[in-house]
mmCIF file of all heavy atoms in Angstrom:
data_model
loop_
_atom_site.group_PDB
_atom_site.id
_atom_site.type_symbol
_atom_site.label_atom_id
_atom_site.label_comp_id
_atom_site.label_asym_id
_atom_site.label_seq_id
_atom_site.Cartn_x
_atom_site.Cartn_y
_atom_site.Cartn_z
ATOM 1 N N THR K 21 1.569 -7.192 0.922
ATOM 2 C CA THR K 21 0.092 -7.520 1.005
ATOM 3 C C THR K 21 -0.038 -8.898 1.587
ATOM 4 O O THR K 21 0.861 -9.715 1.494
ATOM 5 C CB THR K 21 -0.622 -7.432 -0.266
ATOM 6 O OG1 THR K 21 -0.149 -8.524 -1.153
ATOM 7 C CG2 THR K 21 -0.485 -6.095 -0.980
ATOM 8 N N TYR K 23 -3.517 -11.941 2.565
ATOM 9 C CA TYR K 23 -4.947 -12.012 2.436
ATOM 10 C C TYR K 23 -5.449 -13.009 3.284
ATOM 11 O O TYR K 23 -6.668 -13.230 3.368
ATOM 12 C CB TYR K 23 -5.250 -12.115 0.989
ATOM 13 C CG TYR K 23 -4.581 -11.316 0.002
ATOM 14 C CD1 TYR K 23 -3.452 -11.840 -0.777
ATOM 15 C CD2 TYR K 23 -4.909 -10.013 -0.113
ATOM 16 C CE1 TYR K 23 -2.839 -10.996 -1.736
ATOM 17 C CE2 TYR K 23 -4.224 -9.166 -0.974
ATOM 18 C CZ TYR K 23 -3.276 -9.621 -1.813
ATOM 19 O OH TYR K 23 -2.573 -8.748 -2.651
ATOM 20 N N LEU K 40 -0.357 -5.195 4.343
ATOM 21 C CA LEU K 40 -1.497 -4.534 3.840
ATOM 22 C C LEU K 40 -2.525 -5.627 3.232
ATOM 23 O O LEU K 40 -2.248 -6.394 2.380
ATOM 24 C CB LEU K 40 -1.120 -3.695 2.543
ATOM 25 C CG LEU K 40 -2.129 -3.097 1.673
ATOM 26 C CD1 LEU K 40 -2.973 -2.141 2.427
ATOM 27 C CD2 LEU K 40 -1.522 -2.372 0.389
ATOM 28 N N VAL K 41 -3.811 -5.506 3.768
ATOM 29 C CA VAL K 41 -4.811 -6.383 3.164
ATOM 30 C C VAL K 41 -5.243 -5.534 2.075
ATOM 31 O O VAL K 41 -6.248 -4.651 2.356
ATOM 32 C CB VAL K 41 -5.937 -6.692 4.314
ATOM 33 C CG1 VAL K 41 -6.942 -7.692 3.646
ATOM 34 C CG2 VAL K 41 -5.224 -7.289 5.513
ATOM 35 N N GLY K 42 -4.709 -5.651 0.843
ATOM 36 C CA GLY K 42 -4.978 -4.837 -0.260
ATOM 37 C C GLY K 42 -6.365 -5.331 -0.999
ATOM 38 O O GLY K 42 -6.437 -6.540 -1.004
ATOM 39 N N ASP K 43 -6.975 -4.465 -1.570
ATOM 40 C CA ASP K 43 -8.185 -4.922 -2.523
ATOM 41 C C ASP K 43 -7.608 -5.479 -3.785
ATOM 42 O O ASP K 43 -8.314 -6.113 -4.570
ATOM 43 C CB ASP K 43 -9.134 -3.839 -2.769
ATOM 44 C CG ASP K 43 -8.579 -2.558 -3.443
ATOM 45 O OD1 ASP K 43 -7.374 -2.555 -3.709
ATOM 46 O OD2 ASP K 43 -9.317 -1.638 -3.596
ATOM 47 N N SER K 44 -6.298 -5.609 -3.836
ATOM 48 C CA SER K 44 -5.599 -6.381 -4.998
ATOM 49 C C SER K 44 -6.072 -7.846 -4.786
ATOM 50 O O SER K 44 -5.787 -8.521 -5.832
ATOM 51 C CB SER K 44 -4.061 -6.229 -4.880
ATOM 52 O OG SER K 44 -3.511 -6.433 -3.584
ATOM 53 N N LEU K 45 -6.586 -8.236 -3.666
ATOM 54 C CA LEU K 45 -6.981 -9.517 -3.550
ATOM 55 C C LEU K 45 -8.201 -9.847 -4.560
ATOM 56 O O LEU K 45 -8.294 -10.940 -4.976
ATOM 57 C CB LEU K 45 -7.661 -9.794 -2.084
ATOM 58 C CG LEU K 45 -8.904 -9.151 -1.702
ATOM 59 C CD1 LEU K 45 -10.123 -9.826 -2.031
ATOM 60 C CD2 LEU K 45 -8.850 -8.919 -0.110
ATOM 61 N N ASN K 47 -7.852 -9.113 -7.629
ATOM 62 C CA ASN K 47 -7.081 -9.584 -8.856
ATOM 63 C C ASN K 47 -6.571 -10.899 -8.564
ATOM 64 O O ASN K 47 -6.621 -11.889 -9.330
ATOM 65 C CB ASN K 47 -5.920 -8.541 -9.218
ATOM 66 C CG ASN K 47 -6.468 -7.222 -9.494
ATOM 67 O OD1 ASN K 47 -6.454 -6.345 -8.642
ATOM 68 N ND2 ASN K 47 -6.880 -7.031 -10.746
ATOM 69 N N THR K 55 -10.027 -4.182 -9.106
ATOM 70 C CA THR K 55 -10.373 -4.215 -7.730
ATOM 71 C C THR K 55 -11.822 -3.784 -7.449
ATOM 72 O O THR K 55 -12.325 -3.882 -6.397
ATOM 73 C CB THR K 55 -9.420 -3.242 -6.909
ATOM 74 O OG1 THR K 55 -9.516 -2.011 -7.468
ATOM 75 C CG2 THR K 55 -8.011 -3.824 -6.996
ATOM 76 N N MET K 63 -13.584 -7.714 2.356
ATOM 77 C CA MET K 63 -12.425 -7.187 3.000
ATOM 78 C C MET K 63 -12.496 -7.397 4.555
ATOM 79 O O MET K 63 -11.375 -7.556 5.135
ATOM 80 C CB MET K 63 -12.302 -5.598 2.784
ATOM 81 C CG MET K 63 -12.014 -5.124 1.336
ATOM 82 S SD MET K 63 -10.655 -5.912 0.498
ATOM 83 C CE MET K 63 -9.316 -5.205 1.394
ATOM 84 N N ASP K 82 -7.450 -2.023 2.913
ATOM 85 C CA ASP K 82 -8.067 -1.028 1.933
ATOM 86 C C ASP K 82 -9.477 -0.998 2.193
ATOM 87 O O ASP K 82 -10.176 -1.848 2.298
ATOM 88 C CB ASP K 82 -7.839 -1.545 0.614
ATOM 89 C CG ASP K 82 -6.609 -1.193 -0.146
ATOM 90 O OD1 ASP K 82 -6.122 -0.060 0.151
ATOM 91 O OD2 ASP K 82 -6.081 -1.977 -0.957
ATOM 92 N N LYS K 111 -6.877 2.421 4.371
ATOM 93 C CA LYS K 111 -6.264 3.021 3.271
ATOM 94 C C LYS K 111 -7.333 3.533 2.308
ATOM 95 O O LYS K 111 -8.342 2.755 2.105
ATOM 96 C CB LYS K 111 -5.342 2.171 2.508
ATOM 97 C CG LYS K 111 -4.725 2.927 1.301
ATOM 98 C CD LYS K 111 -3.375 2.267 0.904
ATOM 99 C CE LYS K 111 -3.497 1.010 0.181
ATOM 100 N NZ LYS K 111 -4.200 1.099 -1.221
ATOM 101 N N GLU K 113 -7.915 5.847 -1.516
ATOM 102 C CA GLU K 113 -7.253 6.287 -2.670
ATOM 103 C C GLU K 113 -7.803 7.678 -2.968
ATOM 104 O O GLU K 113 -9.053 7.977 -2.960
ATOM 105 C CB GLU K 113 -7.679 5.257 -3.887
ATOM 106 C CG GLU K 113 -7.102 3.988 -3.793
ATOM 107 C CD GLU K 113 -7.236 3.067 -4.923
ATOM 108 O OE1 GLU K 113 -7.674 3.464 -5.975
ATOM 109 O OE2 GLU K 113 -6.899 1.827 -4.803
ATOM 110 N N HIS K 135 -3.250 7.337 -0.454
ATOM 111 C CA HIS K 135 -2.722 6.557 -1.771
ATOM 112 C C HIS K 135 -2.879 7.483 -2.951
ATOM 113 O O HIS K 135 -3.924 7.865 -3.281
ATOM 114 C CB HIS K 135 -3.635 5.406 -1.941
ATOM 115 C CG HIS K 135 -3.090 4.341 -2.969
ATOM 116 N ND1 HIS K 135 -3.296 2.984 -2.997
ATOM 117 C CD2 HIS K 135 -2.401 4.512 -4.124
ATOM 118 C CE1 HIS K 135 -2.807 2.396 -4.064
ATOM 119 N NE2 HIS K 135 -2.259 3.416 -4.747
ATOM 120 N N LEU K 138 -0.961 6.205 -9.255
ATOM 121 C CA LEU K 138 -1.842 5.287 -9.925
ATOM 122 C C LEU K 138 -2.832 4.718 -8.879
ATOM 123 O O LEU K 138 -2.585 4.044 -7.886
ATOM 124 C CB LEU K 138 -0.978 4.103 -10.462
ATOM 125 C CG LEU K 138 -1.809 2.962 -11.107
ATOM 126 C CD1 LEU K 138 -2.804 3.443 -12.136
ATOM 127 C CD2 LEU K 138 -0.989 1.925 -11.684
ATOM 128 N N PRO K 140 -5.820 2.350 -8.572
ATOM 129 C CA PRO K 140 -6.437 1.189 -9.153
ATOM 130 C C PRO K 140 -8.001 1.322 -9.235
ATOM 131 O O PRO K 140 -8.576 0.851 -10.159
ATOM 132 C CB PRO K 140 -5.913 -0.077 -8.384
ATOM 133 C CG PRO K 140 -4.671 0.480 -7.732
ATOM 134 C CD PRO K 140 -4.727 1.796 -7.360
ATOM 135 N N GLN K 141 -8.490 1.879 -8.146
ATOM 136 C CA GLN K 141 -9.961 1.974 -8.152
ATOM 137 C C GLN K 141 -10.462 3.055 -9.151
ATOM 138 O O GLN K 141 -11.710 3.119 -9.419
ATOM 139 C CB GLN K 141 -10.472 2.436 -6.711
ATOM 140 C CG GLN K 141 -10.348 1.237 -5.666
ATOM 141 C CD GLN K 141 -10.652 1.692 -4.283
ATOM 142 O OE1 GLN K 141 -11.171 2.769 -4.078
ATOM 143 N NE2 GLN K 141 -10.420 0.803 -3.257
ATOM 144 N N VAL K 178 0.757 5.783 0.504
ATOM 145 C CA VAL K 178 1.263 4.959 -0.528
ATOM 146 C C VAL K 178 1.446 5.857 -1.872
ATOM 147 O O VAL K 178 0.496 6.494 -2.231
ATOM 148 C CB VAL K 178 0.365 3.759 -0.804
ATOM 149 C CG1 VAL K 178 0.718 3.092 -2.166
ATOM 150 C CG2 VAL K 178 0.407 2.856 0.288
ATOM 151 N N LEU K 179 2.536 5.699 -2.564
ATOM 152 C CA LEU K 179 2.818 6.435 -3.733
ATOM 153 C C LEU K 179 2.925 5.299 -4.802
ATOM 154 O O LEU K 179 3.973 4.511 -4.708
ATOM 155 C CB LEU K 179 4.094 7.252 -3.728
ATOM 156 C CG LEU K 179 4.108 8.407 -2.629
ATOM 157 C CD1 LEU K 179 5.446 9.073 -2.629
ATOM 158 C CD2 LEU K 179 3.020 9.408 -2.981
ATOM 159 N N GLU K 180 2.158 5.166 -5.741
ATOM 160 C CA GLU K 180 2.262 4.051 -6.751
ATOM 161 C C GLU K 180 2.365 4.555 -8.126
ATOM 162 O O GLU K 180 1.757 5.577 -8.561
ATOM 163 C CB GLU K 180 0.777 3.336 -6.722
ATOM 164 C CG GLU K 180 0.750 2.189 -7.750
ATOM 165 C CD GLU K 180 -0.212 1.202 -7.450
ATOM 166 O OE1 GLU K 180 -1.221 1.265 -6.500
ATOM 167 O OE2 GLU K 180 -0.369 0.234 -8.301
ATOM 168 N N ILE K 199 5.280 5.183 1.364
ATOM 169 C CA ILE K 199 5.441 3.899 1.044
ATOM 170 C C ILE K 199 5.425 3.565 -0.518
ATOM 171 O O ILE K 199 4.180 3.866 -1.108
ATOM 172 C CB ILE K 199 4.389 2.969 1.745
ATOM 173 C CG1 ILE K 199 4.343 3.238 3.242
ATOM 174 C CG2 ILE K 199 4.687 1.474 1.600
ATOM 175 C CD1 ILE K 199 5.547 3.088 4.035
ATOM 176 N N GLY K 200 6.454 3.278 -1.101
ATOM 177 C CA GLY K 200 6.479 3.283 -2.600
ATOM 178 C C GLY K 200 6.080 1.843 -3.223
ATOM 179 O O GLY K 200 6.376 0.840 -2.625
ATOM 180 N N ILE K 201 5.401 1.874 -4.318
ATOM 181 C CA ILE K 201 5.249 0.775 -5.067
ATOM 182 C C ILE K 201 5.394 1.235 -6.616
ATOM 183 O O ILE K 201 4.560 1.950 -7.103
ATOM 184 C CB ILE K 201 3.958 -0.018 -4.947
ATOM 185 C CG1 ILE K 201 3.744 -1.132 -5.888
ATOM 186 C CG2 ILE K 201 2.814 0.910 -4.816
ATOM 187 C CD1 ILE K 201 2.680 -2.183 -5.401
ATOM 188 N N VAL K 211 6.084 -1.370 -0.635
ATOM 189 C CA VAL K 211 5.069 -2.425 -0.509
ATOM 190 C C VAL K 211 4.951 -3.073 -1.888
ATOM 191 O O VAL K 211 5.189 -2.466 -2.881
ATOM 192 C CB VAL K 211 3.591 -1.747 -0.176
ATOM 193 C CG1 VAL K 211 3.146 -0.759 -1.012
ATOM 194 C CG2 VAL K 211 2.732 -2.896 0.134
ATOM 195 N N LEU K 212 4.747 -4.343 -1.844
ATOM 196 C CA LEU K 212 4.549 -5.103 -3.095
ATOM 197 C C LEU K 212 3.413 -6.073 -2.930
ATOM 198 O O LEU K 212 3.052 -6.559 -1.713
ATOM 199 C CB LEU K 212 5.689 -6.014 -3.467
ATOM 200 C CG LEU K 212 6.852 -5.417 -4.258
ATOM 201 C CD1 LEU K 212 8.022 -6.445 -4.692
ATOM 202 C CD2 LEU K 212 6.526 -4.697 -5.540
ATOM 203 N N VAL K 213 2.697 -6.321 -3.917
ATOM 204 C CA VAL K 213 1.638 -7.348 -3.840
ATOM 205 C C VAL K 213 2.434 -8.778 -3.567
ATOM 206 O O VAL K 213 3.391 -9.122 -4.301
ATOM 207 C CB VAL K 213 0.891 -7.508 -5.048
ATOM 208 C CG1 VAL K 213 -0.038 -8.784 -5.147
ATOM 209 C CG2 VAL K 213 0.010 -6.244 -5.300
ATOM 210 N N LEU K 214 2.051 -9.488 -2.490
ATOM 211 C CA LEU K 214 2.702 -10.635 -2.131
ATOM 212 C C LEU K 214 2.898 -11.811 -3.351
ATOM 213 O O LEU K 214 3.847 -12.198 -3.536
ATOM 214 C CB LEU K 214 1.981 -11.324 -0.991
ATOM 215 C CG LEU K 214 2.435 -12.812 -0.362
ATOM 216 C CD1 LEU K 214 3.819 -12.511 0.204
ATOM 217 C CD2 LEU K 214 1.497 -13.281 0.520
ATOM 218 N N PHE K 228 7.570 -2.801 -11.881
ATOM 219 C CA PHE K 228 8.195 -2.462 -10.548
ATOM 220 C C PHE K 228 8.299 -3.579 -9.658
ATOM 221 O O PHE K 228 8.767 -3.501 -8.522
ATOM 222 C CB PHE K 228 7.384 -1.369 -9.893
ATOM 223 C CG PHE K 228 5.871 -1.631 -9.795
ATOM 224 C CD1 PHE K 228 5.285 -2.587 -8.936
ATOM 225 C CD2 PHE K 228 4.954 -0.881 -10.538
ATOM 226 C CE1 PHE K 228 3.976 -2.805 -8.818
ATOM 227 C CE2 PHE K 228 3.461 -1.065 -10.515
ATOM 228 C CZ PHE K 228 3.133 -1.913 -9.638
HETATM 229 O O1 KIV Y 1 -4.478 -3.326 -3.099
HETATM 230 C C1 KIV Y 1 -3.237 -3.302 -3.112
HETATM 231 O O2 KIV Y 1 -2.463 -4.224 -2.992
HETATM 232 C C2 KIV Y 1 -2.586 -1.889 -2.910
HETATM 233 C C3 KIV Y 1 -1.231 -1.882 -3.295
HETATM 234 C C4 KIV Y 1 -1.048 -1.901 -4.842
HETATM 235 C C5 KIV Y 1 -0.470 -0.680 -2.708
HETATM 236 O O3 KIV Y 1 -3.301 -0.974 -2.792
#
Side-chain angles (χ1 to χ4, degrees):
T21 65
Y23 315 107
L40 170 64
V41 185
D43 59 0
S44 52
L45 68 86
N47 303 93
T55 59
M63 295 307 291
D82 271 330
K111 179 160 77 62
E113 295 186 8
H135 187 151
L138 173 54
Q141 292 176 6
V178 166
L179 299 176
E180 180 166 357
I199 309 298
I201 174 164
V211 61
L212 276 183
V213 169
L214 178 65
F228 53 69

